[in-house]
Amino acid sequence: MPQHDSPAFLPLWRNRDYMLLWGGQTVSLVGEGVSQLAFPLLILALTHSPAQAGYGGALRSLPYILFGLLFGALVDRWNRKRTMIVCDIIRAATLGSIPLAAAFGVLTVWQLYAAAFIEGSLGILFGLSETSALPQVVPKAQLPAATAQAQVQYSLASLLGPPIGGALFAAGRALPFMVDAISYAASCISLLFIRTQFQGDRASDP
């Protein structure tokens, strides 16, 4: 755990655990942006229905309304690092199942709906866990800089994800989902190498 009270500490770019966290999440966020564009495109290609393509996008956003408060409470009780790793594993398996099903000719719009909902739900849980873990990874005085870099991270992912997703979809309809699955696997590996505990000391409840 970083020494928050130390008068001198390493800059963020030399903080090994922070760079592993930041780098892993940058990769996974770009992957998420890649598949975010590809979901409605693939649903439209399968169903030829713009309405059903819209449903897929809605299902990915619906968990923010349904589970936001619940997940916020759970993050305070669960082991954050373990939660993030499990989220990445499930998201990698969920997205990886799409090119696998496509290869065997059994891909359905219902699988895409389920994948969109699962990825949206776990994305919320992961994001809340990451935000709560950040103060354990960087000293308190560096939190504003780390938060600013997180905004750069999201902007970078928003800028790069959709055009990469469009190019990959043009090359192969299942490619964006394979890339997203790989990005979650990379994020999971980066988390495994982080030594810092994501949970602070807690006082026992009476």
Side-chain angles (χ1 to χ4, degrees), residues 112-188:
L112 294 175
Y113 284 163
F117 187 78
I118 291 170
E119 187 182 23
S121 300
L122 295 181
I124 298 170
L125 185 56
F126 186 99
L128 290 170
S129 299
E130 181 187 9
T131 301
S132 301
L134 190 60
Q136 305 301 320
V137 179
V138 302
K140 183 177 180 180
Q142 290 182 323
L143 274 176
T147 302
Q149 289 198 20
Q151 295 304 313
V152 173
Q153 182 184 60
Y154 282 102
S155 298
L156 183 66
S158 299
L159 181 66
L160 296 179
I164 294 175
L168 290 173
F169 189 84
R173 292 178 179 178
L175 277 179
F177 305 98
M178 185 181 301
V179 169
D180 196 8
I182 293 171
S183 76
Y184 290 135
S187 170
C188 182

Side-chain angles (χ1 to χ4, degrees), residues 61-146:
S61 303
L62 184 61
Y64 286 92
I65 301 172
L66 297 179
F67 304 133
L69 293 176
L70 173 63
F71 286 169
L74 292 176
V75 162
D76 287 336
R77 291 166 173 76
W78 291 350
N79 182 295
R80 291 167 189 158
K81 183 176 180 181
R82 187 180 302 127
T83 298
M84 293 166 73
I85 290 172
V86 170
C87 285
D88 274 341
I89 291 173
I90 296 175
R91 289 191 292 178
T94 300
L95 272 294
S97 71
I98 294 175
L100 186 63
F104 285 96
V106 295
L107 182 64
T108 67
V109 68
W110 296 107
Q111 179 180 349
L112 294 175
Y113 284 163
F117 187 78
I118 291 170
E119 187 182 23
S121 300
L122 295 181
I124 298 170
L125 185 56
F126 186 99
L128 290 170
S129 299
E130 181 187 9
T131 301
S132 301
L134 190 60
Q136 305 301 320
V137 179
V138 302
K140 183 177 180 180
Q142 290 182 323
L143 274 176

